[in-house]
Amino acid sequence: MTADKQLQSNYLQGVSGQYAGKKLPVDEALIIGSDSSVEVTIDDPAIRSRHIRIVADGTRMQIENLTEADQIWVNGVPVKQASLSSGDEIRVGQQRFVVKIPGLRPDSVLRDISEHQQYGKRWLVWAGIAVTMTVVAVAYYLLR
């Protein structure tokens, strides 16, 4: 894989556990588990031999729990299967990873932008109400 390709690939950034500080590229599919035959082997008693599958297709990523009983968490919510966005946090056992999709802003940033846009619209509504009330007050004063 070339350096350019590596910089543009989706990856998981290790946050805690044995992969803390490491980048795990997700080109197409990645299996995480405790078995030495999977792409990412984790030595953690909470991890099954084939625990998680992550599939990447361009700027889209999906996660799937391959076990019946053990949970995986995405942004603090237990999931069996979920779509992933840049900035999402995955937790399984003592391991935590952050999803990185180069070229996409994290959803949290997009939510912040959306909230600011909504506040901007609210400001405009309140300004309109203030102007209307002022016009009504002046008209009442003049017509009385």
Side-chain angles (χ1 to χ4, degrees), residues 56 61 68 73 75 91-92 104 118-119 134 140:
M61 290 176 70
E68 290 298 319
W73 301 76
N75 298 327
R91 182 172 59 84
V92 58
L104 290 184
Q118 288 175 353
Y119 291 135
T134 303
Y140 176 76

Side-chain angles (χ1 to χ4, degrees), residues 1-143:
M1 180 182 300
T2 67
D4 271 353
K5 173 73 173 156
Q6 205 169 24
L7 291 174
Q8 296 174 359
S9 295
N10 301 330
Y11 64 95
L12 301 179
Q13 176 70 53
V15 177
S16 69
Q18 82 185 65
Y19 287 95
K22 296 186 176 133
K23 293 181 180 180
L24 305 174
V26 184
D27 292 323
E28 291 177 9
L30 181 72
I31 303 290
I32 298 173
S34 61
D35 192 82
S36 61
S37 68
V38 299
E39 289 87 357
V40 177
T41 303
I42 296 177
D43 184 24
D44 182 327
I47 308 290
R48 302 288 180 183
S49 59
R50 294 174 52 84
H51 201 113
I52 298 172
R53 177 186 4 246
I54 298 177
V55 179
D57 180 17
T59 58
R60 296 180 13 211
M61 290 176 70
Q62 299 277 328
I63 188 168
E64 179 183 4
N65 186 348
L66 300 175
T67 70
E68 290 298 319
D70 298 310
Q71 294 182 334
I72 55 174
W73 301 76
V74 175
N75 298 327
V77 177
V79 298
K80 177 72 177 157
Q81 182 171 0
S83 292
L84 298 172
S85 297
S86 194
D88 285 349
E89 183 182 272
I90 300 167
R91 182 172 59 84
V92 58
Q94 298 301 312
Q95 316 300 313
R96 286 188 310 136
F97 302 94
V98 173
V99 175
K100 300 290 186 174
I101 303 174
L104 290 184
R105 291 181 174 175
D107 271 357
S108 59
V109 172
L110 295 176
R111 282 191 291 270
D112 289 347
I113 291 170
S114 176
E115 287 174 13
H116 288 299
Q117 289 172 344
Q118 288 175 353
Y119 291 135
K121 291 176 186 174
R122 289 183 193 149
W123 177 85
L124 187 59
V125 168
W126 283 109
I129 290 170
V131 168
T132 303
M133 291 179 69
T134 303
V135 168
V136 168
V138 168
Y140 176 76
Y141 179 75
L142 293 175
L143 296 175

